[in-house]
Amino acid sequence: MNLKQVNLTRSGQKILNDLNLDIPERGVMVLLGANGAGKSTLLNVLAGISDIDSGEIILKQARHRFLMPEPAVFYPQLTVEEQLRFIATINHVNAANDEVKRLLDLWQLMPVKQQLTQHLSLGFRQRLSLAQLEVSQADVLLMDEPLNGMDPEVLKIFKTQVKHWKSTKTIVMATHIMHEVQELADWVVVMWQGNIIHSAAYQQELDFYQIYQHAIDQHHKTFVGTGSKNSEN
Amino acid sequence: MNILQKDFKTLWRSSVIWLVLALLSFVLAWLFWQMLDRYITLQGSFASLANPPTITQAMWTPFVLMLAKLMMLMIAMTAGTSVAQERSQKTLWYLLINNSSPMHVIGAKFKVQLTLLLFVGIELLLVFALLTVGGELNNLKVLISLIGLCLYCCWLMSLGMWISSQCQSPATAVLLSLLVFVLVWMLGGQTVNQEYGLNWLSLFSPAHHLQWFCEGQLAVSSLLYFIGGSVIFLRFSALQIKQLRKLW
């Protein structure tokens, strides 16, 4: 998946500014950035939900995408099992019933499978959101802050599943909780005010915080440098 | 479970829908009883008339028009919430992901709205059964008015869905739909014609075309009005959903 000179403006404000990005076919790409950097918007664009103003999104082949938004939202009148069945059907999953049962079991949703989603606690909402991601059988999994409020037990299952998925799928994950996803990452992208200021394979030598800080510092130096030169002229 | 089944469950699991249906059934039963009582009382004086009104004219047609008016409330509620609810609970992305076709989404939602016609059918069947006990109905007129009422409901559903796609709050969408429905109904009111002569605006009113159906006239212009109008409103709804991608 390639993004070429992607621009997106909402209410007169530039949210994505001339983005160029190559997303590999397999592995985990982590998006780092402060609030308002454009991470969630980029995920919506990649999911095919938001229309861009200009630029191009090139899919090398017909790739199926699914999103885990933040906060997780479900149909309040459906039960947990029905919600998963709905996702399986709209994504044309074969043997949907068996798959739904397997995922209810895997994500420990069996005790609440007949409960309406509107009555779920935060922990179960997160499990359901992750189960949805898996039941979609999408080639590209997009996650917006997947670790928010995650308990250690679910975190363990989540990490195991991501390690399993990353050999066959593209995973793009936007997060603030940097230390927990370091061990999963293959690529790291740093965003700042709608711009990509760093994009590289992750070498595990530096931690995410250092990469993020370094990218921000470099960008500020360039930005301030250009700004001062312009003001001198 | 596809979009259609999901919307079906969402619609019919709502307790408010059942409450409104029960209320409408009660009101219809009450009004029908009143009409019947009046008709029986006046039957003696009908005997002196050279051309007395038939049971179809005196009972069936007014009942169909009354049902049409009451359906405005029901359709404003169901069609009005159809898209606005998805927007307010932020679940619309499920239907838009992977650049899915908005027309497919609207089509599924419209089919769910059509289940309301079952209520219309049951009410009319009951009234038909009751009236046939006491007299002879003109079956052709009954059939044409039934077709007219179904087309009228489809037209309102499409318009309601279009209004719904413009609103973020389901409550606003319901109120706005009801207001628009009442206004377009009033456009075709007989008093408007009486006061201002032939009012061409009335041709834009569903009430006017439904009246023709109820009189047993299967006019091509009315068929075009209802079918064409429904298609146009559904297209507009799909276009509005497409536009929403630019606001996401």
Side-chain angles (χ1 to χ4, degrees):
Chain A
M1 198 187 242
N2 290 326
L3 267 67
K4 282 189 179 170
Q5 294 178 314
V6 167
N7 285 288
L8 186 141
T9 308
R10 294 288 180 263
S11 312
Q13 196 188 343
K14 200 131 199 174
I15 310 287
L16 299 179
N17 188 16
D18 224 11
L19 290 196
N20 290 294
L21 186 64
D22 280 345
I23 300 172
E25 276 185 42
R26 283 179 207 89
V28 178
M29 176 178 270
V30 177
L31 300 178
L32 302 176
N35 288 335
K39 306 185 298 291
S40 303
T41 309
L42 178 58
L43 290 178
N44 284 339
V45 166
L46 293 174
I49 299 168
S50 289
D51 270 355
I52 54 175
D53 299 332
S54 63
E56 235 183 322
I57 301 165
I58 304 162
L59 291 164
K60 282 172 188 157
Q61 47 191 300
R63 306 202 80 198
H64 197 68
R65 296 153 279 170
F66 200 76
L67 174 73
M68 178 187 175
E70 160 64 22
V73 282
F74 311 106
Y75 288 100
Q77 295 88 350
L78 296 186
T79 65
V80 169
E81 194 175 7
E82 284 167 348
Q83 176 77 27
L84 284 177
R85 279 219 191 104
F86 170 63
I87 301 301
T89 312
I90 59 169
N91 288 286
H92 314 290
V93 172
N94 295 324
N97 282 351
D98 294 343
E99 189 60 7
V100 166
K101 271 182 196 152
R102 184 184 75 79
L103 292 172
L104 283 170
D105 207 32
L106 175 73
W107 291 100
Q108 299 162 1
L109 288 162
M110 275 298 183
V112 292
K113 70 172 187 173
Q114 294 302 333
Q115 238 181 61
L116 293 178
T117 60
Q118 61 181 324
H119 298 140
L120 288 182
S121 65
L122 178 67
F124 280 119
R125 291 181 81 81
Q126 200 149 31
R127 286 169 204 217
L128 177 57
S129 205
L130 289 161
Q132 277 193 164
L133 207 59
E134 193 164 355
V135 83
S136 71
Q137 297 189 348
D139 308 304
V140 182
L141 303 179
L142 306 159
M143 306 181 202
D144 196 0
E145 302 291 353
L147 305 176
N148 268 6
M150 195 178 271
D151 64 50
E153 202 181 343
V154 181
L155 182 63
K156 201 175 143 193
I157 307 171
F158 173 74
K159 283 184 177 176
T160 313
Q161 285 305 105
V162 172
K163 281 173 189 164
H164 170 67
W165 292 333
K166 69 189 233 175
S167 56
T168 54
K169 295 174 193 286
T170 308
I171 300 169
V172 183
M173 200 187 286
T175 187
H176 279 116
I177 305 168
M178 299 184 193
H179 63 280
E180 289 289 2
V181 289
Q182 262 174 216
E183 60 180 286
L184 304 169
D186 298 304
W187 285 269
V188 60
V189 171
V190 180
M191 292 185 74
W192 190 79
Q193 292 189 353
N195 296 284
I196 290 177
I197 56 172
H198 174 89
S199 171
Y202 182 53
Q203 304 296 338
Q204 310 273 341
E205 288 151 5
L206 294 172
D207 67 24
F208 271 7
Y209 184 74
Q210 287 172 308
I211 293 173
Y212 176 74
Q213 211 51 53
H214 181 70
I216 295 284
D217 290 345
Q218 283 295 313
H219 183 71
H220 282 323
K221 271 182 201 164
T222 319
F223 181 73
V224 171
T226 320
S228 54
K229 272 178 196 169
N230 287 344
S231 59
E232 280 166 22
N233 293 335
Chain B
M1 185 187 291
N2 53 29
I3 299 174
L4 191 109
Q5 290 163 324
K6 184 270 294 173
D7 279 339
F8 184 82
K9 287 197 176 184
T10 305
L11 177 67
W12 292 105
R13 272 184 188 169
S14 161
S15 49
V16 183
I17 296 296
W18 290 102
L19 190 73
V20 175
L21 278 180
L23 192 74
L24 286 189
S25 303
F26 175 77
V27 171
L28 281 167
W30 176 264
L31 291 173
F32 178 71
W33 178 54
Q34 293 288 312
M35 283 162 65
L36 195 64
D37 194 36
R38 191 159 172 266
Y39 180 71
I40 291 166
T41 317
L42 290 173
Q43 242 182 350
S45 48
F46 284 161
S48 58
L49 294 174
N51 204 0
T54 63
I55 195 165
T56 313
Q57 288 167 329
M59 292 291 298
W60 177 264
T61 303
F63 183 80
V64 169
L65 291 172
M66 192 169 62
L67 182 57
K69 279 182 205 162
L70 289 175
M71 281 308 287
M72 285 199 281
L73 175 69
M74 193 67 218
I75 294 171
M77 272 189 65
T78 58
T81 51
S82 60
V83 184
Q85 197 170 31
E86 298 264 7
R87 288 182 70 181
S88 77
Q89 65 196 19
K90 299 188 191 312
T91 46
L92 195 60
W93 72 270
Y94 282 113
L95 313 177
L96 298 180
I97 201 161
N98 289 307
N99 300 315
S100 314
S101 151
M103 202 57 214
H104 174 66
V105 174
I106 287 295
K109 287 190 174 291
F110 180 67
K111 282 180 202 164
V112 172
Q113 297 296 316
L114 291 181
T115 54
L116 278 183
L117 294 180
L118 198 66
F119 172 75
V120 174
I122 291 171
E123 288 290 339
L124 289 181
L125 189 72
L126 282 172
V127 169
F128 180 78
L130 282 169
L131 291 179
T132 10
V133 173
E136 203 174 317
L137 284 163
N138 182 334
N139 288 337
L140 187 66
K141 271 191 180 178
V142 166
L143 184 68
I144 292 173
S145 58
L146 179 67
I147 293 170
L149 187 59
C150 289
L151 287 173
Y152 159 85
C153 288
C154 291
W155 190 90
L156 285 188
M157 286 166 190
S158 315
L159 176 60
M161 283 175 67
W162 181 40
I163 294 169
S164 180
S165 69
Q166 308 278 341
C167 301
Q168 263 185 328
S169 149
T172 313
V174 171
L175 289 174
L176 196 60
S177 301
L178 196 57
L179 183 74
V180 173
F181 292 172
V182 171
L183 283 175
V184 290
W185 180 278
M186 283 166 65
L187 213 61
Q190 283 174 349
T191 48
V192 179
N193 282 345
Q194 282 161 10
E195 282 176 32
Y196 303 104
L198 183 57
N199 183 4
W200 293 102
L201 274 177
S202 70
L203 293 174
F204 290 101
S205 167
H208 182 79
H209 293 276
L210 180 62
Q211 188 74 46
W212 281 1
F213 274 98
C214 288
E215 284 163 13
Q217 295 175 39
L218 197 60
V220 179
S221 62
S222 297
L223 278 172
L224 271 176
Y225 171 85
F226 282 130
I227 297 170
S230 302
V231 172
I232 288 169
F233 290 137
L234 290 178
R235 276 260 163 222
F236 282 172
S237 313
L239 277 175
Q240 177 58 21
I241 290 185
K242 197 165 179 266
Q243 279 299 111
L244 290 177
R245 285 184 192 277
K246 292 202 180 292
L247 301 173
W248 214 282

PDB file of all heavy atoms in Angstrom, chain B residues 4 7 15 19 25 33 36 38 58-59 63 65 72 78 100 102 104 113 116 131 141 150 158 168 171 202 211 217 244:
ATOM      1  N   LEU B   4     -28.988  -5.869   6.367  1.00  0.00           N
ATOM      2  CA  LEU B   4     -30.445  -5.942   6.419  1.00  0.00           C
ATOM      3  C   LEU B   4     -30.918  -6.576   7.732  1.00  0.00           C
ATOM      4  O   LEU B   4     -31.788  -6.036   8.420  1.00  0.00           O
ATOM      5  CB  LEU B   4     -30.931  -6.773   5.229  1.00  0.00           C
ATOM      6  CG  LEU B   4     -32.413  -6.743   4.989  1.00  0.00           C
ATOM      7  CD1 LEU B   4     -32.686  -5.937   3.728  1.00  0.00           C
ATOM      8  CD2 LEU B   4     -32.969  -8.128   4.799  1.00  0.00           C
ATOM      9  N   ASP B   7     -30.169  -4.271  10.707  1.00  0.00           N
ATOM     10  CA  ASP B   7     -31.121  -3.161  10.805  1.00  0.00           C
ATOM     11  C   ASP B   7     -32.501  -3.645  11.236  1.00  0.00           C
ATOM     12  O   ASP B   7     -33.216  -2.936  11.948  1.00  0.00           O
ATOM     13  CB  ASP B   7     -31.217  -2.419   9.466  1.00  0.00           C
ATOM     14  CG  ASP B   7     -30.080  -1.435   9.299  1.00  0.00           C
ATOM     15  OD1 ASP B   7     -29.488  -1.053  10.315  1.00  0.00           O
ATOM     16  OD2 ASP B   7     -29.773  -1.046   8.162  1.00  0.00           O
ATOM     17  N   SER B  15     -38.220  -0.743  21.918  1.00  0.00           N
ATOM     18  CA  SER B  15     -39.522  -0.794  22.588  1.00  0.00           C
ATOM     19  C   SER B  15     -40.433   0.362  22.148  1.00  0.00           C
ATOM     20  O   SER B  15     -41.655   0.223  22.147  1.00  0.00           O
ATOM     21  CB  SER B  15     -39.327  -0.768  24.101  1.00  0.00           C
ATOM     22  OG  SER B  15     -38.449   0.262  24.443  1.00  0.00           O
ATOM     23  N   LEU B  19     -44.461   0.441  21.144  1.00  0.00           N
ATOM     24  CA  LEU B  19     -45.371   1.332  21.869  1.00  0.00           C
ATOM     25  C   LEU B  19     -46.182   2.180  20.889  1.00  0.00           C
ATOM     26  O   LEU B  19     -47.412   2.293  21.004  1.00  0.00           O
ATOM     27  CB  LEU B  19     -44.554   2.225  22.810  1.00  0.00           C
ATOM     28  CG  LEU B  19     -45.345   3.034  23.812  1.00  0.00           C
ATOM     29  CD1 LEU B  19     -45.891   2.137  24.907  1.00  0.00           C
ATOM     30  CD2 LEU B  19     -44.483   4.131  24.416  1.00  0.00           C
ATOM     31  N   SER B  25     -52.585   1.435  16.631  1.00  0.00           N
ATOM     32  CA  SER B  25     -53.634   0.413  16.478  1.00  0.00           C
ATOM     33  C   SER B  25     -54.864   0.810  17.280  1.00  0.00           C
ATOM     34  O   SER B  25     -55.997   0.684  16.808  1.00  0.00           O
ATOM     35  CB  SER B  25     -53.133  -0.951  16.966  1.00  0.00           C
ATOM     36  OG  SER B  25     -51.993  -1.300  16.275  1.00  0.00           O
ATOM     37  N   TRP B  33     -64.335   2.554  14.708  1.00  0.00           N
ATOM     38  CA  TRP B  33     -65.590   2.304  15.435  1.00  0.00           C
ATOM     39  C   TRP B  33     -66.505   3.532  15.346  1.00  0.00           C
ATOM     40  O   TRP B  33     -67.704   3.432  15.102  1.00  0.00           O
ATOM     41  CB  TRP B  33     -65.271   1.942  16.891  1.00  0.00           C
ATOM     42  CG  TRP B  33     -66.484   1.715  17.715  1.00  0.00           C
ATOM     43  CD1 TRP B  33     -67.507   0.850  17.444  1.00  0.00           C
ATOM     44  CD2 TRP B  33     -66.830   2.367  18.939  1.00  0.00           C
ATOM     45  NE1 TRP B  33     -68.463   0.912  18.421  1.00  0.00           N
ATOM     46  CE2 TRP B  33     -68.066   1.839  19.354  1.00  0.00           C
ATOM     47  CE3 TRP B  33     -66.209   3.338  19.735  1.00  0.00           C
ATOM     48  CZ2 TRP B  33     -68.695   2.257  20.521  1.00  0.00           C
ATOM     49  CZ3 TRP B  33     -66.829   3.748  20.900  1.00  0.00           C
ATOM     50  CH2 TRP B  33     -68.069   3.209  21.281  1.00  0.00           C
ATOM     51  N   LEU B  36     -67.904   3.784  11.832  1.00  0.00           N
ATOM     52  CA  LEU B  36     -68.914   2.737  11.628  1.00  0.00           C
ATOM     53  C   LEU B  36     -70.230   3.125  12.297  1.00  0.00           C
ATOM     54  O   LEU B  36     -71.312   2.986  11.706  1.00  0.00           O
ATOM     55  CB  LEU B  36     -68.377   1.414  12.211  1.00  0.00           C
ATOM     56  CG  LEU B  36     -69.096   0.144  11.793  1.00  0.00           C
ATOM     57  CD1 LEU B  36     -68.958  -0.092  10.300  1.00  0.00           C
ATOM     58  CD2 LEU B  36     -68.558  -1.054  12.565  1.00  0.00           C
ATOM     59  N   ARG B  38     -71.283   6.115  13.000  1.00  0.00           N
ATOM     60  CA  ARG B  38     -71.893   7.234  12.260  1.00  0.00           C
ATOM     61  C   ARG B  38     -72.552   6.724  10.971  1.00  0.00           C
ATOM     62  O   ARG B  38     -73.648   7.156  10.603  1.00  0.00           O
ATOM     63  CB  ARG B  38     -70.809   8.273  11.946  1.00  0.00           C
ATOM     64  CG  ARG B  38     -71.353   9.573  11.430  1.00  0.00           C
ATOM     65  CD  ARG B  38     -70.361  10.707  11.612  1.00  0.00           C
ATOM     66  NE  ARG B  38     -70.847  11.896  10.945  1.00  0.00           N
ATOM     67  CZ  ARG B  38     -70.517  12.239   9.700  1.00  0.00           C
ATOM     68  NH1 ARG B  38     -69.695  11.472   9.012  1.00  0.00           N
ATOM     69  NH2 ARG B  38     -71.001  13.334   9.157  1.00  0.00           N
ATOM     70  N   ALA B  58     -67.843   5.451   1.641  1.00  0.00           N
ATOM     71  CA  ALA B  58     -68.159   6.007   2.968  1.00  0.00           C
ATOM     72  C   ALA B  58     -67.241   5.492   4.070  1.00  0.00           C
ATOM     73  O   ALA B  58     -67.007   6.189   5.061  1.00  0.00           O
ATOM     74  CB  ALA B  58     -69.603   5.679   3.321  1.00  0.00           C
ATOM     75  N   MET B  59     -66.723   4.272   3.917  1.00  0.00           N
ATOM     76  CA  MET B  59     -65.932   3.689   5.015  1.00  0.00           C
ATOM     77  C   MET B  59     -64.482   3.395   4.627  1.00  0.00           C
ATOM     78  O   MET B  59     -63.557   3.751   5.344  1.00  0.00           O
ATOM     79  CB  MET B  59     -66.594   2.383   5.492  1.00  0.00           C
ATOM     80  CG  MET B  59     -67.918   2.578   6.181  1.00  0.00           C
ATOM     81  SD  MET B  59     -67.735   3.393   7.779  1.00  0.00           S
ATOM     82  CE  MET B  59     -66.751   2.230   8.666  1.00  0.00           C
ATOM     83  N   PHE B  63     -60.985   5.543   5.699  1.00  0.00           N
ATOM     84  CA  PHE B  63     -60.097   4.799   6.592  1.00  0.00           C
ATOM     85  C   PHE B  63     -58.675   4.751   6.028  1.00  0.00           C
ATOM     86  O   PHE B  63     -57.700   4.942   6.757  1.00  0.00           O
ATOM     87  CB  PHE B  63     -60.629   3.367   6.829  1.00  0.00           C
ATOM     88  CG  PHE B  63     -59.787   2.604   7.804  1.00  0.00           C
ATOM     89  CD1 PHE B  63     -59.929   2.803   9.169  1.00  0.00           C
ATOM     90  CD2 PHE B  63     -58.808   1.715   7.369  1.00  0.00           C
ATOM     91  CE1 PHE B  63     -59.119   2.121  10.076  1.00  0.00           C
ATOM     92  CE2 PHE B  63     -58.002   1.044   8.274  1.00  0.00           C
ATOM     93  CZ  PHE B  63     -58.159   1.241   9.627  1.00  0.00           C
ATOM     94  N   LEU B  65     -57.261   6.914   4.028  1.00  0.00           N
ATOM     95  CA  LEU B  65     -56.652   8.249   4.148  1.00  0.00           C
ATOM     96  C   LEU B  65     -56.245   8.557   5.592  1.00  0.00           C
ATOM     97  O   LEU B  65     -55.219   9.181   5.845  1.00  0.00           O
ATOM     98  CB  LEU B  65     -57.617   9.325   3.626  1.00  0.00           C
ATOM     99  CG  LEU B  65     -57.840   9.297   2.107  1.00  0.00           C
ATOM    100  CD1 LEU B  65     -58.938  10.259   1.694  1.00  0.00           C
ATOM    101  CD2 LEU B  65     -56.551   9.624   1.356  1.00  0.00           C
ATOM    102  N   MET B  72     -47.639   8.674   8.866  1.00  0.00           N
ATOM    103  CA  MET B  72     -46.602   9.706   8.829  1.00  0.00           C
ATOM    104  C   MET B  72     -45.787   9.701  10.121  1.00  0.00           C
ATOM    105  O   MET B  72     -44.573   9.830  10.099  1.00  0.00           O
ATOM    106  CB  MET B  72     -47.242  11.086   8.633  1.00  0.00           C
ATOM    107  CG  MET B  72     -47.717  11.332   7.231  1.00  0.00           C
ATOM    108  SD  MET B  72     -47.967  13.065   6.861  1.00  0.00           S
ATOM    109  CE  MET B  72     -49.525  13.368   7.606  1.00  0.00           C
ATOM    110  N   THR B  78     -39.253   5.774  12.161  1.00  0.00           N
ATOM    111  CA  THR B  78     -38.348   4.702  11.714  1.00  0.00           C
ATOM    112  C   THR B  78     -37.366   5.191  10.648  1.00  0.00           C
ATOM    113  O   THR B  78     -36.170   4.968  10.772  1.00  0.00           O
ATOM    114  CB  THR B  78     -39.148   3.507  11.173  1.00  0.00           C
ATOM    115  OG1 THR B  78     -39.973   3.964  10.103  1.00  0.00           O
ATOM    116  CG2 THR B  78     -40.009   2.888  12.233  1.00  0.00           C
ATOM    117  N   SER B 100     -17.095   0.859   0.697  1.00  0.00           N
ATOM    118  CA  SER B 100     -18.365   0.193   0.352  1.00  0.00           C
ATOM    119  C   SER B 100     -19.329   1.171  -0.306  1.00  0.00           C
ATOM    120  O   SER B 100     -19.287   2.364  -0.028  1.00  0.00           O
ATOM    121  CB  SER B 100     -19.037  -0.357   1.609  1.00  0.00           C
ATOM    122  OG  SER B 100     -18.111  -1.030   2.391  1.00  0.00           O
ATOM    123  N   PRO B 102     -22.450   3.331  -0.879  1.00  0.00           N
ATOM    124  CA  PRO B 102     -23.520   3.895  -0.035  1.00  0.00           C
ATOM    125  C   PRO B 102     -24.914   3.443  -0.495  1.00  0.00           C
ATOM    126  O   PRO B 102     -25.821   3.305   0.298  1.00  0.00           O
ATOM    127  CB  PRO B 102     -23.366   5.399  -0.192  1.00  0.00           C
ATOM    128  CG  PRO B 102     -22.068   5.628  -0.819  1.00  0.00           C
ATOM    129  CD  PRO B 102     -21.693   4.401  -1.556  1.00  0.00           C
ATOM    130  N   HIS B 104     -25.734   0.554  -1.546  1.00  0.00           N
ATOM    131  CA  HIS B 104     -25.968  -0.778  -0.968  1.00  0.00           C
ATOM    132  C   HIS B 104     -26.491  -0.621   0.468  1.00  0.00           C
ATOM    133  O   HIS B 104     -27.436  -1.303   0.883  1.00  0.00           O
ATOM    134  CB  HIS B 104     -24.640  -1.543  -1.009  1.00  0.00           C
ATOM    135  CG  HIS B 104     -24.664  -2.854  -0.327  1.00  0.00           C
ATOM    136  ND1 HIS B 104     -25.427  -3.901  -0.789  1.00  0.00           N
ATOM    137  CD2 HIS B 104     -24.049  -3.304   0.800  1.00  0.00           C
ATOM    138  CE1 HIS B 104     -25.268  -4.937   0.024  1.00  0.00           C
ATOM    139  NE2 HIS B 104     -24.447  -4.597   0.992  1.00  0.00           N
ATOM    140  N   GLN B 113     -37.236  -0.773   6.205  1.00  0.00           N
ATOM    141  CA  GLN B 113     -38.383   0.130   6.379  1.00  0.00           C
ATOM    142  C   GLN B 113     -39.655  -0.493   5.796  1.00  0.00           C
ATOM    143  O   GLN B 113     -40.751  -0.296   6.315  1.00  0.00           O
ATOM    144  CB  GLN B 113     -38.123   1.476   5.680  1.00  0.00           C
ATOM    145  CG  GLN B 113     -36.961   2.271   6.231  1.00  0.00           C
ATOM    146  CD  GLN B 113     -37.171   2.705   7.648  1.00  0.00           C
ATOM    147  OE1 GLN B 113     -38.238   3.156   8.012  1.00  0.00           O
ATOM    148  NE2 GLN B 113     -36.160   2.537   8.473  1.00  0.00           N
ATOM    149  N   LEU B 116     -42.584  -2.246   7.611  1.00  0.00           N
ATOM    150  CA  LEU B 116     -43.711  -1.514   8.213  1.00  0.00           C
ATOM    151  C   LEU B 116     -45.002  -1.709   7.416  1.00  0.00           C
ATOM    152  O   LEU B 116     -46.102  -1.560   7.952  1.00  0.00           O
ATOM    153  CB  LEU B 116     -43.408  -0.016   8.260  1.00  0.00           C
ATOM    154  CG  LEU B 116     -42.561   0.513   9.396  1.00  0.00           C
ATOM    155  CD1 LEU B 116     -42.451   2.011   9.276  1.00  0.00           C
ATOM    156  CD2 LEU B 116     -43.148   0.151  10.738  1.00  0.00           C
ATOM    157  N   LEU B 131     -65.681  -5.007   7.072  1.00  0.00           N
ATOM    158  CA  LEU B 131     -66.633  -4.333   6.178  1.00  0.00           C
ATOM    159  C   LEU B 131     -67.345  -5.321   5.261  1.00  0.00           C
ATOM    160  O   LEU B 131     -68.508  -5.109   4.912  1.00  0.00           O
ATOM    161  CB  LEU B 131     -65.921  -3.257   5.354  1.00  0.00           C
ATOM    162  CG  LEU B 131     -65.425  -2.030   6.127  1.00  0.00           C
ATOM    163  CD1 LEU B 131     -64.712  -1.058   5.204  1.00  0.00           C
ATOM    164  CD2 LEU B 131     -66.585  -1.314   6.816  1.00  0.00           C
ATOM    165  N   LYS B 141     -61.329  -1.054  -6.438  1.00  0.00           N
ATOM    166  CA  LYS B 141     -60.963   0.185  -5.732  1.00  0.00           C
ATOM    167  C   LYS B 141     -60.123  -0.130  -4.500  1.00  0.00           C
ATOM    168  O   LYS B 141     -59.176   0.592  -4.177  1.00  0.00           O
ATOM    169  CB  LYS B 141     -62.225   0.957  -5.313  1.00  0.00           C
ATOM    170  CG  LYS B 141     -62.703   1.922  -6.363  1.00  0.00           C
ATOM    171  CD  LYS B 141     -63.761   2.829  -5.791  1.00  0.00           C
ATOM    172  CE  LYS B 141     -64.249   3.807  -6.844  1.00  0.00           C
ATOM    173  NZ  LYS B 141     -65.295   4.671  -6.342  1.00  0.00           N
ATOM    174  N   CYS B 150     -49.354   1.744  -0.255  1.00  0.00           N
ATOM    175  CA  CYS B 150     -48.002   1.170  -0.162  1.00  0.00           C
ATOM    176  C   CYS B 150     -46.985   2.081  -0.844  1.00  0.00           C
ATOM    177  O   CYS B 150     -45.898   2.339  -0.303  1.00  0.00           O
ATOM    178  CB  CYS B 150     -47.960  -0.220  -0.795  1.00  0.00           C
ATOM    179  SG  CYS B 150     -48.842  -1.436   0.187  1.00  0.00           S
ATOM    180  N   SER B 158     -38.556   6.979   1.831  1.00  0.00           N
ATOM    181  CA  SER B 158     -37.375   7.482   1.114  1.00  0.00           C
ATOM    182  C   SER B 158     -37.070   8.918   1.513  1.00  0.00           C
ATOM    183  O   SER B 158     -35.919   9.271   1.759  1.00  0.00           O
ATOM    184  CB  SER B 158     -37.602   7.435  -0.394  1.00  0.00           C
ATOM    185  OG  SER B 158     -38.165   6.232  -0.750  1.00  0.00           O
ATOM    186  N   GLN B 168     -27.543  14.730  12.338  1.00  0.00           N
ATOM    187  CA  GLN B 168     -26.657  13.983  13.213  1.00  0.00           C
ATOM    188  C   GLN B 168     -27.398  13.424  14.412  1.00  0.00           C
ATOM    189  O   GLN B 168     -26.961  12.448  15.014  1.00  0.00           O
ATOM    190  CB  GLN B 168     -25.522  14.891  13.696  1.00  0.00           C
ATOM    191  CG  GLN B 168     -24.279  14.710  12.872  1.00  0.00           C
ATOM    192  CD  GLN B 168     -23.123  15.496  13.409  1.00  0.00           C
ATOM    193  OE1 GLN B 168     -23.304  16.564  13.984  1.00  0.00           O
ATOM    194  NE2 GLN B 168     -21.923  14.986  13.237  1.00  0.00           N
ATOM    195  N   ALA B 171     -33.313  12.526  17.095  1.00  0.00           N
ATOM    196  CA  ALA B 171     -34.497  13.294  17.521  1.00  0.00           C
ATOM    197  C   ALA B 171     -34.794  14.415  16.521  1.00  0.00           C
ATOM    198  O   ALA B 171     -35.946  14.631  16.124  1.00  0.00           O
ATOM    199  CB  ALA B 171     -34.267  13.866  18.911  1.00  0.00           C
ATOM    200  N   SER B 202     -50.218  21.500  -5.461  1.00  0.00           N
ATOM    201  CA  SER B 202     -50.814  20.286  -4.889  1.00  0.00           C
ATOM    202  C   SER B 202     -50.370  19.033  -5.646  1.00  0.00           C
ATOM    203  O   SER B 202     -50.400  17.936  -5.106  1.00  0.00           O
ATOM    204  CB  SER B 202     -52.335  20.393  -4.875  1.00  0.00           C
ATOM    205  OG  SER B 202     -52.807  20.330  -6.196  1.00  0.00           O
ATOM    206  N   GLN B 211     -55.069  10.378  -3.061  1.00  0.00           N
ATOM    207  CA  GLN B 211     -56.511  10.592  -3.239  1.00  0.00           C
ATOM    208  C   GLN B 211     -56.981   9.972  -4.554  1.00  0.00           C
ATOM    209  O   GLN B 211     -58.026   9.321  -4.611  1.00  0.00           O
ATOM    210  CB  GLN B 211     -56.777  12.109  -3.210  1.00  0.00           C
ATOM    211  CG  GLN B 211     -58.242  12.494  -3.201  1.00  0.00           C
ATOM    212  CD  GLN B 211     -58.900  12.242  -1.850  1.00  0.00           C
ATOM    213  OE1 GLN B 211     -58.337  12.589  -0.825  1.00  0.00           O
ATOM    214  NE2 GLN B 211     -60.070  11.613  -1.862  1.00  0.00           N
ATOM    215  N   GLN B 217     -58.371   5.469  -9.379  1.00  0.00           N
ATOM    216  CA  GLN B 217     -57.673   5.860 -10.616  1.00  0.00           C
ATOM    217  C   GLN B 217     -56.198   5.471 -10.527  1.00  0.00           C
ATOM    218  O   GLN B 217     -55.471   5.978  -9.673  1.00  0.00           O
ATOM    219  CB  GLN B 217     -57.759   7.368 -10.807  1.00  0.00           C
ATOM    220  CG  GLN B 217     -59.166   7.866 -11.028  1.00  0.00           C
ATOM    221  CD  GLN B 217     -59.197   9.379 -11.085  1.00  0.00           C
ATOM    222  OE1 GLN B 217     -58.319  10.005 -11.647  1.00  0.00           O
ATOM    223  NE2 GLN B 217     -60.206   9.957 -10.463  1.00  0.00           N
ATOM    224  N   LEU B 244     -20.494  12.325   3.351  1.00  0.00           N
ATOM    225  CA  LEU B 244     -20.036  12.231   4.747  1.00  0.00           C
ATOM    226  C   LEU B 244     -18.579  11.751   4.828  1.00  0.00           C
ATOM    227  O   LEU B 244     -17.887  12.040   5.795  1.00  0.00           O
ATOM    228  CB  LEU B 244     -20.932  11.287   5.556  1.00  0.00           C
ATOM    229  CG  LEU B 244     -22.342  11.782   5.847  1.00  0.00           C
ATOM    230  CD1 LEU B 244     -23.135  10.729   6.598  1.00  0.00           C
ATOM    231  CD2 LEU B 244     -22.298  13.070   6.659  1.00  0.00           C
TER     232      LEU B 244
END
